Amino acid sequence: MSEERQKNVTVFNSTLETGVRSLVILAANFPAALDLQRLVDFDYLVVHSGDVNGPKSLHPPLPMREGELLVRRKIIESGISLMMSRGLVTRIAGEEGIFYQATDYAKPFVDLMATPYMRSLIVRANWVGETFGNMDTKELHSLISSFFDKWTTQFHSLQGLGGG
């Protein structure tokens, strides 16, 4: 690959990164189907599992990381579309809304991922599924809202210091 072409490659916060992470989350929760909001919530919990007394967080604990909850939805939706285009995720429309489910091809695909980062991701996705998979929507929303409230408080503190 030419050096010029490598400059255009974006891995972090890309459709591919979030699509693979969503795929791993769906495979860990198979055969359950998850709606987009639960996928956004689980994505946050997988990446920041240390915030909820789980395994060490997958990514470093950056200040104000709770703000990620506001910007991830669209990119996760794009990532799911990418995984659907490869036959790894299917969309299910029902009376309660639209849900996403891993296909039969997802687990064998995920099992081929052998890098230390991917193995850590799989461990955390399994932990999130076991810990929060049966949590009802209101309870999960309350948990996630507590992170958002923390971020809002941090944001207002910065404004009070002349930060905005």
Side-chain angles (χ1 to χ4, degrees):
M1 183 178 289
S2 73
E3 195 171 303
E4 182 177 316
R5 185 172 174 157
Q6 288 179 342
K7 290 179 183 176
N8 294 328
V9 175
T10 302
V11 176
F12 298 111
N13 295 319
S14 68
T15 298
L16 179 60
E17 178 194 22
T18 56
V20 168
R21 202 162 46 236
S22 293
L23 176 66
V24 171
I25 291 168
L26 288 168
N29 285 278
F30 186 81
L34 307 177
D35 66 12
L36 183 58
Q37 186 57 52
R38 192 163 282 248
L39 272 170
V40 170
D41 294 344
F42 280 10
D43 181 78
Y44 182 87
L45 294 171
V46 164
V47 172
H48 301 291
S49 52
D51 289 359
V52 284
N53 301 317
K56 181 181 174 189
S57 294
L58 194 59
H59 293 178
L62 299 174
M64 299 181 72
R65 61 189 168 279
E66 296 81 8
E68 294 174 15
L69 291 164
L70 295 175
V71 297
R72 287 239 172 247
R73 187 179 182 92
K74 183 77 175 167
I75 196 165
I76 288 172
E77 192 171 23
S78 296
I80 292 169
S81 292
L82 176 63
M83 295 299 122
M84 287 174 49
S85 74
R86 301 299 180 252
L88 297 167
V89 172
T90 188
R91 183 182 325 178
I92 302 167
E95 290 180 15
E96 295 182 23
I98 297 172
F99 293 84
Y100 300 94
Q101 183 183 46
T103 67
D104 291 339
Y105 301 111
K107 185 164 179 6
F109 181 82
V110 168
D111 287 346
L112 291 174
M113 300 178 186
T115 64
Y117 179 87
M118 291 307 300
R119 300 315 308 170
S120 294
L121 170 60
I122 292 167
V123 166
R124 281 148 186 83
N126 287 330
W127 178 80
V128 167
E130 292 166 6
T131 306
F132 303 102
N134 291 324
M135 185 178 273
D136 82 8
T137 301
K138 282 185 178 181
E139 195 175 357
L140 183 61
H141 179 74
S142 177
L143 174 69
I144 296 300
S145 290
S146 71
F147 296 126
F148 188 74
D149 292 344
K150 180 180 171 188
W151 174 76
T152 303
T153 301
Q154 290 172 338
F155 185 75
H156 285 295
S157 295
L158 286 177
Q159 283 184 328
L161 296 172

